[in-house]
């Protein structure tokens, strides 16, 4: 077949489906397995972090609660928190933080260079609980939240004035608001019932709170969405001059709200082409409005304030995750707690987490050998608009990416998805960036593919 892209490049090779997997982390959690096996106990955190650099760590705190669960959502979250569950959950987070900090030791004082509260919806917590969450980060982990970039996710209904006041006072530099659509009918179609007036009120409160960076999330590919309604939502977001805008393609995942009612075969090539059109329309419009493209999903206003002294490199530096849905990364192991999508399974995992007293061991994870480290480094870099400095890759691994991944990179070049060598960088073309969700899976190792395929969705 012959495909002509919106960027006028032409290729005669058959192209894969564009929307396959959002590669925000590699390996994916569905490739994780229990680390205690064949009579061997789960590894101690103190052993895992022995010898690891502590000079540029990222801290992520996961809050698995939402007031509703959107129909497209496959995040690790539950609806509501009855009977004081949020308090018990924070108790567990504090116990976990104390255990992690003890495991890190004092031989090299941990230095955190950024922090994030995610979920779920962190602002589901009440103002006093958010204060406590910040206290855990600062007092238990030693993070100076006012000195590092701190990003927090929120929903319109939970972005209340008292919660925002706490976050700003404690150092939040970025707030990400999940709007998805400014068209109420589309929000309902995505099983996210919300009124436009409530969204506007939340945005007003955020601007009044003077959070330095506002991000607005929008979704394309919703049932009934048209070019006109998509442009309407993008323009409604632009009216607030957000420092960042994320454009997400709609995915329908097994065991999610939409997934229970939709034949997977409905996500056919016609839907793919519809989503690609919406993506290109949104991308092109944002580029004319003073935004720069950072990745397939992320667009940043060209005059947006810097996020502070963030010298964290996701390709190489470690991450500490607190909470039952958070990941942690060392150079040789990625680990977390158990993973699920269905509400029943998630509730059980949260209950187990809140009852846990001993957090000194890593329970679920995946070893990262040098081959996997190469794949992760390339993916974390190549899927960014600025591309990957080849010299950085050579310095770290002592080899050239074109020698390590000749077939994969030749395929990208044949499709017209590589932009050539620009100042020593391996970069995707504009159309390659549009197909990021097809490119990512092509660099997964066979072992990771097999593990993901064998994972039993629950």
């Amino acid at each position: 077949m012959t495909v002509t892209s919106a960027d006028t490049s032409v290729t005669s090779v058959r192209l894969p489906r564009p929307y396959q997997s959002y590669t925000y982390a590699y390996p994916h959690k569905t490739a994780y397995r229990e680390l205690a096996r064949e009579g061997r106990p789960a590894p101690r955190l103190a052993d895992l972090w022995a010898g690891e650099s502590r000079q540029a760590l990222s801290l992520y705190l996961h809050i698995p609660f939402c007031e509703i669960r959107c129909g497209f959502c496959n995040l690790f979250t539950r609806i509501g928190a009855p009977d004081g569950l949020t308090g018990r959950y924070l108790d567990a987070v504090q116990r976990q933080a104390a255990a992690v900090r003890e495991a890190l030791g004092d031989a090299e004082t941990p230095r955190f260079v950024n922090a994030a509260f995610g979920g779920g919806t962190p602002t589901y917590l009440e103002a006093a609980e958010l204060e406590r969450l910040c206290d855990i980060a600062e007092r238990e982990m030693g993070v100076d939240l006012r000195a590092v970039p701190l990003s927090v996710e929120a929903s319109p209904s939970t972005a209340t004035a008292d919660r925002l006041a706490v976050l700003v006072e404690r150092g939040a530099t970025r707030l990400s608001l999940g709007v998805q659509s400014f068209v109420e009918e589309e929000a309902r179609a995505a099983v996210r019932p919300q009124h436009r007036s409530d969204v506007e009120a939340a945005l007003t409160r955020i601007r009044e709170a003077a959070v330095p960076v506002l991000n607005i999330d929008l979704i394309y590919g919703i049932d009934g969405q048209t070019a006109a309604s998509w442009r309407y939502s993008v323009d409604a977001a632009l009216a607030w001059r957000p420092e960042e805008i994320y454009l997400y393609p709609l995915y329908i995942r097994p065991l999610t709200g939409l997934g229970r009612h939709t034949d997977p075969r409905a996500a056919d090539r016609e839907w793919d082409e519809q989503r690609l059109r919406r993506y290109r329309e949104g991308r092109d419009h944002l580029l004319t409005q003073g935004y720069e493209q950072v990745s397939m999903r992320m667009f940043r206003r060209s005059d947006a304030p810097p996020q502070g002294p963030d010298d964290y490199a996701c390709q190489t530096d470690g991450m500490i995750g607190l909470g039952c849905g958070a990941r942690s990364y060392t150079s040789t192991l990625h680990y977390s707690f158990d993973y699920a999508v269905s509400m029943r399974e998630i509730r059980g995992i949260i209950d187990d987490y809140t009852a846990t007293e001993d957090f000194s061991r890593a329970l679920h994870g995946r070893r990262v050998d040098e081959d996997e480290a190469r794949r992760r480094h390339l993916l974390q870099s190549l899927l960014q608009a600025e591309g990957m400095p080849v010299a950085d890759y050579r310095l770290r691994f002592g080899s050239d990416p074109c020698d390590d991944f000749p077939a994969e990179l030749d395929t990208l070049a044949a499709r017209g998805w590589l932009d050539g060598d620009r100042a020593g960088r391996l970069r995707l073309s504009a159309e390659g960036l549009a197909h990021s969700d097809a490119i990512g899976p092509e660099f997964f190792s066979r072992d990771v593919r097999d593990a993901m395929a064998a994972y039993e969705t629950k």
Side-chain angles (χ1 to χ4, degrees):
M1 62 182 291
T2 299
V3 177
T4 303
S5 77
D7 304 282
T8 70
S9 60
V10 178
T11 179
S12 58
V13 299
R14 184 173 181 83
L15 301 181
R17 293 191 60 182
Y19 299 105
Q20 297 181 32
S21 175
Y22 175 18
T23 312
Y24 63 92
Y26 178 81
H28 190 269
K29 268 190 177 182
T30 53
Y32 290 13
R33 294 294 184 268
E34 286 191 27
L35 295 172
R37 59 180 62 184
E38 299 175 355
R40 290 178 298 177
R44 297 172 61 247
L45 299 186
D47 295 333
L48 293 177
W49 284 96
E52 295 284 322
S53 173
R54 293 148 169 74
Q55 285 306 297
L57 296 175
S58 178
L59 178 67
Y60 179 80
L61 288 97
H62 176 251
I63 304 300
F65 307 111
C66 290
E67 71 276 19
I68 60 171
R69 196 181 197 202
C70 304
F72 53 83
C73 178
N74 71 330
L75 297 178
F76 191 96
T77 187
R78 61 161 292 163
I79 300 171
D83 303 323
L85 180 57
T86 56
R88 296 196 301 278
Y89 184 82
L90 290 175
D91 290 343
V93 172
Q94 187 163 357
R95 293 195 298 272
Q96 184 189 5
V100 171
R101 182 62 188 86
E102 181 179 0
L104 291 175
D106 296 319
E108 180 184 7
T109 301
R111 174 176 173 263
F112 290 89
V113 295
N114 64 39
F117 301 163
T121 307
T123 49
Y124 180 89
L125 299 178
E126 295 178 354
E129 293 174 320
L130 286 172
E131 287 273 18
R132 185 180 177 194
L133 188 67
C134 293
D135 286 344
I136 292 171
E138 294 195 333
R139 297 174 185 175
E140 300 291 347
M141 297 304 301
V143 185
D144 184 352
L145 294 178
R146 295 177 181 85
V148 302
L150 170 59
S151 178
V152 183
E153 297 173 9
S155 66
S157 63
T158 61
T160 58
D162 59 340
R163 291 176 170 99
L164 293 171
V166 168
L167 293 173
V168 170
E169 196 278 329
R170 298 302 293 264
T173 57
R174 178 181 182 272
L175 192 131
S176 181
L177 193 72
V179 174
Q180 319 315 349
S181 177
F182 283 86
V183 180
E184 292 187 10
E185 294 79 7
E186 291 180 4
R188 287 196 296 272
V191 195
R192 185 188 176 88
Q194 63 188 17
H195 296 292
R196 169 76 180 271
S197 59
D198 295 333
V199 173
E200 300 283 350
L203 287 166
T204 298
R205 292 191 294 270
I206 294 168
R207 282 311 196 194
E208 289 175 346
V211 181
V213 172
L214 164 65
N215 171 70
I216 296 177
D217 288 344
L218 298 176
I219 285 182
Y220 55 90
I222 299 172
D223 187 32
Q225 189 179 63
T226 65
S229 67
W230 174 232
R231 177 65 171 265
Y232 178 85
S233 276
V234 175
D235 281 337
L238 286 170
W240 291 93
R241 294 288 294 157
E243 286 71 25
E244 295 175 4
I245 295 181
Y246 271 69
L247 305 182
Y248 286 96
L250 177 65
Y251 276 95
I252 296 177
R253 299 300 197 190
L255 303 184
T256 63
L258 292 176
R260 285 194 296 270
H261 304 291
T262 303
D263 184 341
R265 292 172 297 182
D268 56 12
R269 189 163 297 277
E270 180 179 351
W271 192 37
D272 290 341
E273 288 302 320
Q274 178 198 74
R275 284 180 287 178
L276 274 175
R277 286 194 296 271
R278 298 294 88 83
Y279 162 79
R280 292 166 180 153
E281 292 160 1
R283 173 199 64 190
D284 294 348
H285 187 45
L286 291 178
L287 293 178
T288 67
Q289 299 299 307
Y291 285 77
E292 299 172 347
Q293 187 165 18
V294 179
S295 67
M296 172 186 164
R297 287 162 170 76
M298 180 182 176
F299 296 81
R300 186 171 176 83
R301 214 178 70 202
S302 57
D303 61 345
Q307 273 286 275
D310 181 0
D311 56 357
Y312 178 78
C314 63
Q315 297 91 337
T316 57
D317 292 324
M319 184 165 81
I320 300 290
L322 302 178
C324 61
R327 311 162 188 257
S328 295
Y329 302 148
T330 71
S331 61
T332 59
L333 182 75
H334 292 185
Y335 63 93
S336 69
F337 296 92
D338 201 2
Y339 173 71
V341 175
S342 75
M343 292 299 298
R344 182 178 64 84
E345 294 286 346
I346 288 174
R347 286 194 293 267
I349 293 171
I350 293 173
D351 289 344
D352 289 343
Y353 175 83
T354 59
T356 298
E357 295 292 336
D358 182 2
F359 286 99
S360 64
R361 296 179 182 272
L363 302 182
H364 293 77
R366 187 165 190 89
R367 298 286 176 182
V368 179
D369 61 19
E370 188 163 298
D371 174 68
E372 297 293 13
R374 283 183 165 93
R375 294 175 186 277
R376 181 171 183 265
H377 186 110
L378 188 142
L379 284 171
Q380 298 280 60
S381 306
L382 186 62
L383 299 184
Q384 300 296 307
E386 65 180 8
M388 182 182 74
V390 175
D392 289 355
Y393 184 96
R394 289 172 179 156
L395 181 64
R396 181 180 180 190
F397 298 110
S399 59
D400 191 285
C402 293
D403 294 331
D404 292 341
F405 302 100
E408 294 91 338
L409 294 174
D410 285 348
T411 297
L412 296 186
R415 294 171 184 162
W417 289 358
L418 284 181
D419 205 16
D421 188 345
R422 298 288 185 89
R425 289 179 179 269
L426 191 63
R427 288 179 49 179
L428 296 177
S429 65
E431 198 60 11
L433 206 59
H435 288 79
S436 293
D437 286 5
I439 291 172
E442 294 184 336
F443 286 88
F444 293 2
S445 70
R446 180 179 296 276
D447 285 347
V448 165
R449 290 174 186 270
D450 290 346
M452 293 174 68
Y455 176 79
E456 184 177 346
T457 303
K458 59 182 180 179

